């Protein structure tokens, strides 16, 4: 059944693909929801070739069949977290390899490269990929890998994925796109030319803030083998139960994100009109610096809004704390709204000068907009800004 679904997948709509997965591995039961297979080991010689859960499990396969169909590709590998997925790719590089990175990558990606893989001789170079000169670096530095993320965190910079992949593909340099903020519903990195599309399924894909997971999708069978090797060799595998939760969560991704995008675009406009707000960043607003590229490569503007307030650090923090429905917490993408103050939370350990260079000032606030009623969220924001 799995192969039948994947063969047809280009003919199906996104919601259908999110709901229907491949083989359930429980054919004779008629079960509508797949079972959870908590077994650590499997009898030798079983028809599906399972042996030990570190290197594969029916719940991994079920989730992989959904994710590969959503990303229009043959292969997906699932991991214990987004960071495990990043580790899988980084561990397939060798001493001396150079990774050319967007300078505004997710903080834990930066930490992993600089504090862990640097010790093993992996080199990094950081550029602002919104600048045309960054494309020249691909030609002059000839990196072993290019690593981008769009929209970025927390400034929601939009990187032109196709342009970078076109340049990199001419030189056969693989490109990894961290697609966590957009998800396959809003952006298809592999169609734009990327080699690897990485997602922290902890965020929108699961959507209920109750499991951690990561995934890598690709059309390249060699990279797929490397990812499966890393999964078992480094012990990066997820738990069957978390895969089951994420398989359940992804079924409502289109429904959730539809509401979240509607809420976010209305709240972005509300914030932009407010006298206490310096500026608002939202990819589908016409005042976003890369609005044209966003409209080319994304189906919608997403559900994250970043705003700069006309206040100092203490007052910004107090405003975040006073919100009723936006819980002040790290992470994003769940049905419940969250607010993050990067200067005291996600980017607190980043040096002040680096923060300034990246444009992360003390009065910056990032909203992950959830599925609540828009009127309640609007009232909440207006009250907090009073
Ligand atoms: C959260 C996140 C990650 C890491 O994922 P975990 O599941 O928390 O390990 C990687 N990239 C981006 C863009 C993220 O938001």
């Amino acid at each position: 059944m799995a192969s039948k679904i994947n063969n047809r997948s280009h003919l199906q709509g996104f919601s259908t693909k999110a709901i229907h997965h491949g083989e359930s591995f429980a054919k004779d039961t008629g079960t509508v929801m797949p079972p959870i297979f908590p077994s650590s080991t499997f009898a030798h010689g079983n028809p599906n070739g399972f042996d030990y859960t570190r290197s594969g499990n029916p719940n991994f396969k079920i989730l992989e069949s959904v994710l590969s169909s959503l990303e229009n590709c043959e292969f997906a590998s699932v991991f214990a977290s987004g960071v495990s997925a990043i580790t899988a790719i980084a561990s397939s590089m060798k001493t001396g390899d150079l990774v050319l990175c967007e300078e505004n990558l997710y903080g834990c990606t930066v930490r992993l490269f600089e504090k862990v893989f640097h010790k093993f001789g992996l080199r990094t170079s950081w550029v602002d990929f919104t600048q045309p000169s960054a494309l020249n670096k691909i030609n002059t530095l000839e990196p072993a890998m290019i690593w981008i993320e769009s929209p970025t965190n927390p400034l929601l910079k939009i990187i032109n994925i196709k342009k970078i992949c076109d340049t990199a593909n001419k030189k056969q340099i693989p490109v990894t796109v961290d697609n966590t903020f957009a998800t396959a519903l809003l952006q298809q990195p592999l169609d734009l030319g990327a080699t690897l599309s990485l997602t922290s399924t902890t965020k929108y894909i699961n959507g209920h803030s109750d499991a951690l997971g990561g995934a890598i999708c690709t059309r390249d069978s060699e990279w797929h083998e490397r990812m499966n090797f890393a999964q078992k060799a480094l012990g990066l595998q997820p738990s069957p139960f978390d895969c089951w939760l994420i398989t359940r969560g992804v079924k409502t991704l289109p429904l959730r994100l539809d509401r979240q995008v509607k809420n976010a675009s209305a709240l972005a406009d509300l914030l932009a009109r407010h006298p206490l707000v310096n500026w608002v960043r939202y990819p589908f607003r016409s005042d976003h610096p890369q609005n044209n590229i966003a409209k080319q490569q994304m189906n919608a503007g997403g559900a994250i809004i970043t705003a700069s307030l006309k206040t100092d650090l203490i007052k910004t923090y107090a405003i975040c704390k006073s919100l009723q429905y936006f819980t002040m917490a790290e992470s994003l993408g769940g049905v419940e709204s969250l607010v993050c103050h990067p200067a005291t939370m996600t980017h607190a350990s980043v040096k002040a000068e680096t923060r300034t260079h990246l444009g992360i000032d003390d009065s910056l606030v990032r909203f992950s907009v959830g599925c609540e009623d828009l009127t309640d969220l609007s009232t909440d924001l207006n009250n907090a800004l009073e």
Side-chain angles (χ1 to χ4, degrees), residues 81-83 86 106 149 178 180-181 200 202-203 213 332:
S81 65
V83 166
I86 298 164
Y106 182 70
E149 191 176 308
D178 185 330
T180 303
F181 271 46
S200 165
T202 310
K203 314 293 169 53
L332 56 116

Side-chain angles (χ1 to χ4, degrees), residues 14 17-18 65-72 184 188 205 250 253:
F14 197 92
K17 293 197 227 180
S65 77
V66 180
L67 298 177
S68 59
S69 130
L70 294 181
E71 298 246 2
N72 279 322
Q188 295 277 338
I205 299 287
V250 74
L253 174 70

Side-chain angles (χ1 to χ4, degrees), residues 51-345:
D51 50 38
Y52 186 63
T53 282
R54 179 150 35 73
S55 57
N57 174 287
N59 290 107
F60 302 5
K61 289 274 173 289
I62 293 165
L63 179 56
E64 285 165 357
S65 77
V66 180
L67 298 177
S68 59
S69 130
L70 294 181
E71 298 246 2
N72 279 322
C73 66
E74 278 170 272
F75 309 113
S77 308
V78 290
F79 297 93
S81 65
V83 166
S84 305
I86 298 164
T87 303
I89 301 176
S91 72
S92 339
M93 321 273 314
K94 42 181 209 309
T95 303
D97 276 354
L98 175 73
V99 188
L100 181 61
C101 301
E102 156 56 34
E103 65 179 12
N104 191 193
L105 287 187
Y106 182 70
C108 299
T109 311
V110 180
R111 185 173 60 195
L112 197 56
F113 285 154
E114 299 295 299
K115 303 268 183 211
V116 180
F117 285 97
H118 179 72
K119 290 190 295 197
F120 301 100
L122 192 71
R123 296 180 302 130
T124 45
S125 186
W126 305 87
V127 291
D128 177 356
F129 269 115
T130 58
Q131 300 302 314
S133 59
L135 282 178
N136 299 335
K137 296 265 182 172
I138 300 177
N139 292 319
T140 53
L141 296 176
E142 303 217 330
M145 164 76 74
I146 294 168
W147 201 291
I148 54 181
E149 191 176 308
S150 184
T152 65
N153 177 41
L155 285 168
L156 308 179
K157 260 168 46 171
I158 302 292
I159 313 290
N160 193 328
I161 299 174
K162 185 166 186 309
K163 211 167 196 174
I164 292 167
C165 292
D166 284 349
T167 309
N169 287 343
K170 280 193 198 116
K171 298 196 158 273
Q172 301 191 319
I173 299 166
V175 179
T176 296
V177 176
D178 185 330
N179 203 31
T180 303
F181 271 46
T183 79
L185 180 61
L186 306 189
Q187 178 169 281
Q188 295 277 338
L190 302 178
D191 284 349
L192 296 168
T195 319
L196 301 162
S197 173
L198 182 151
T199 307
S200 165
T201 54
T202 310
K203 314 293 169 53
Y204 290 102
I205 299 287
N206 182 47
H208 293 78
S209 312
D210 54 8
L212 267 77
I216 295 167
C217 290
T218 184
R219 292 172 181 160
D220 182 320
S221 61
E222 277 176 33
W223 270 105
H224 178 57
E225 268 170 40
R226 279 177 214 146
M227 295 304 94
N228 285 351
F229 174 81
Q231 185 191 60
K232 74 176 167 204
L234 280 79
L236 303 174
Q237 78 290 339
S239 84
F241 179 54
D242 283 345
C243 288
W244 182 86
L245 279 173
I246 297 165
T247 302
R248 182 176 73 158
V250 74
K251 287 174 191 282
T252 55
L253 174 70
L255 286 168
R256 285 184 276 112
L257 210 48
D258 183 57
R259 166 70 78 94
Q260 285 169 288
V261 166
K262 281 186 186 134
N263 281 350
S265 70
L267 292 179
D269 293 342
L270 179 153
L271 283 166
R273 285 192 303 266
H274 199 283
L276 207 66
V277 174
N278 266 331
W279 48 259
V280 165
R281 249 332 113 73
Y282 182 71
F284 267 36
R285 269 180 63 84
S286 58
D287 59 359
H288 187 289
Q290 296 94 31
N291 177 246
N292 284 342
I293 306 166
K295 294 221 152 149
Q296 274 164 34
Q297 68 187 24
M298 298 173 76
N299 300 324
I304 306 288
I305 310 166
T306 297
S308 163
L309 307 183
K310 292 179 187 159
T311 53
D312 59 10
L313 183 123
I314 306 277
K315 280 220 184 76
T316 308
Y317 187 88
I319 288 170
C320 293
K321 266 284 175 206
S322 72
L323 285 158
Q324 188 184 351
Y325 298 119
F326 292 84
T327 305
M328 201 169 169
E330 297 191 8
S331 197
L332 56 116
V335 290
E336 49 294 289
S337 293
L338 301 178
V339 61
C340 170
H341 181 215
T344 58
M345 296 167 66

